[in-house]
Amino acid sequence: MLSAEEQIKKLTDELNQHNYNYYMLDNPVISDFEFDKLLRELMNLEKTYPEYVQPDSPTQRVGGTITKHFASVKHIYPMLSLGNTYSEAELVEFDSRIKELITESVEYVCELKYDGLAISVVYENGVMVRAVTRGDGVHGDDVTANVKTIHSVPLRLKGDFPPLFEIRGEIILPHDRFEILNREREDIGEPPFANPRNAASGSLKLQESAEVARRGLDCRLYYVLGENLPYTTHYESIQKLKEWGFRVPDVMQKVSNIQQVIDFMHVWDKERKKLNYDIDGIVIKVNSFAQQQQLGRTAKNPRWAIAYKFKAEKVATKLLSVDYQVGRTGIVTPVANLQPVALAGTIVKRATLHNADVMHALDLHQNDYLFVEKGGEIIPKIVGVDLAKREAAAQPVAFISHCPECGAELKKNEEEAGTFCPNDTHCNPQIKGKLEHFISRKAMNIDSLGEGKVEILFDNHLVKNIADFYQLTAQNLLGIEKKIPADGNKPERVISFREKTVENILTGIQQSLKVPFERVLFALGIRYVGETTAKKLAKHFQNIDALASATKEELMEVEDVGDRVADSIIDFFNETDNLETVVRLRQSGLQLASLSFDNQLLSNILQGKSIVVSGVFSVSRDEIKNQIELHGGKTVSSISKNTSFVLAGDNMGPEKKKKADSLHIPIISETELNAMLK
Ligand code: IVH
């Protein structure tokens, strides 16, 4: 029998290895379900025996700490930045400067220049002890708890690492995570981030590490500092970092002359468009440490490295007008209509001005000529105004004061850049937005109704409030249609709802009555109440009446709920329209109170079944696993004689197929699974 301390150590090591298999090797050996079980076991033990919590505990990956104030820490070695170059000629000059100081041959290492935030992490005896932002280069903020949630930064090292060293790298937010994050922000009425770098930097400064964990930050580590390090070149040091468990640059090339550097730069200026993260250039480093030392540094930069920044193509074009788009949550986005102009392979006619603050900073005037830039990113960016071309009598362009859709007076939150229309119950794009949000996957998940169908229902005056969905009948729906106007090539078309469609819609709506309270709460679309906050509110208040009658103080007792969220909840339940909606939803039979976990299952069709999921599906693998668990099943990662069946998508691994066949385990498709669950 192991002691509590031994048990904690064992679970810590085991879970860290599973994390490594999953995140670094991309090769999990246990299912998410089994992982969560072990993690919960460790969390419980840690709660009872906090004195035995290990410094590399994997529970830190999911966060939980709240940092009210980030302490300022002095860097052991100042964090220098690199000199920038923008042309091949300047690269050649860099090479010549080096050759003046070093007579023997010089080898360079080329890397990508990650467009994120610099971070410095200290390891003592193989355990991560501190992570600090760059700050002013001398002092930075201690963001250790937040960085511990990033899986590419190891908590404990493997192998023959030095006892004390510092490592530098870049924190980035991959494009797919950036898009998810911005969609979620738009869903709850928060202004989206302008680019992944801003999003990464905003995320790293969050006070709640659990939220940082959910954002999905990533990191590349590329520079070690310390005494008596066991290698002599930069390239070797990176190989070592990899062995110790760090995620190092994906692309690195050793080259022996500056022409090869230039070739590398040209390749990546093109290839970068295919990456899942932003890079803004390449970095060139002298490989030999002895040579690096010989070259030394200037006041600001090392002489042994330089950054080449990719050129963003830039043109000037005339501002024709500014449109204002009202989003699904009422956020108003100004969009510039431009004289069409060719830029980096496309014709640019419009570009977002993001928000009132950005628009004011540009100080736009009528008929201004604007500089438009396009780098690696897909969206063109307005970067400035050509003042020399401004007409003397041109008037400034003022942000509108009233909603272009409904005429309500617009509002702006002081601490946020977004201007919004507060008329959320009677402004058309917001009504449609609420309806679409209500049926969406993470909310009521009525997938027989997509955005297009909701629009048809809205245009036919059948649904203008979320409660109206539950009043729909086959009679209402049969035969309703939408005309799609003719465009250049296609004549006018008419889409109409036939029997099968109607039946699917009504079944989908009926099934949504089983959706648990926390998701119904999220589906209501209360401004600033995202999926996570809804979960916490549901857990705390248990039912909608308790929530609706809570005071501001009571609301703020819930983790995550600050002033702004509390006010928004109170405003929501002060609206008569909203109260009526809640009454109607209750009459229709929606879940407005929490049930115990067992009752949250959608069915027990898969009770006792262990299922191996392999291949690519029409929805994400997490979604598939979630579905299985909601129907009482369990997913496991490897096939054994205890496996009930294998769920095979496209490109199922051939090894898995062989094994399933040899053990006579049935293989079923996604369609067959869906049929079972219906
Ligand atoms: S090496 C002594 N390598 O670019 C400087 N930096 O201005 C060591 N960066 O502050 C930095 N990718 O934040 C290095 N592969 C890379 C990089 C990289 C991005 C950032 C880093 C640095 C800035 C240079």
Side-chain angles (χ1 to χ4, degrees), residues 179-200:
E179 270 156 32
I180 293 174
L181 174 62
N182 264 357
R183 231 177 297 136
E184 284 173 356
R185 285 174 72 83
E186 285 180 286
D187 267 353
I188 59 167
E190 304 222 27
F193 286 111
N195 56 49
R197 180 163 37 84
N198 290 0

Side-chain angles (χ1 to χ4, degrees), residues 650-663:
D650 291 341
N651 301 330
M652 170 184 178
E655 285 304 316
K656 284 222 163 94
K657 167 112 180 56
K658 231 199 252 159
K659 181 131 191 228
D661 288 343
S662 73
L663 292 170

Side-chain angles (χ1 to χ4, degrees), residues 79-84 111-119 134 168-170 222-223 249 280 283 285 302 304-305 307:
M79 273 180 95
L80 300 183
S81 63
L82 297 178
N84 287 329
E111 288 169 20
L112 305 181
K113 186 170 186 310
Y114 298 94
D115 193 10
L117 274 103
I119 190 81
R134 178 165 191 278
R168 303 268 171 86
E170 199 83 357
Y222 45 61
Y223 183 36
D280 58 347
V283 177
K285 300 174 182 173
W304 47 265

Side-chain angles (χ1 to χ4, degrees), residues 23-46:
Y23 286 97
M24 305 295 285
L25 305 181
D26 212 5
N27 183 23
V29 297
I30 62 170
S31 71
D32 298 357
F33 181 84
E34 285 163 308
F35 182 90
D36 288 343
K37 210 173 102 194
L38 292 176
L39 189 67
R40 268 198 301 273
E41 209 177 301
L42 178 61
M43 278 174 169
N44 286 338
L45 280 168
E46 286 184 345

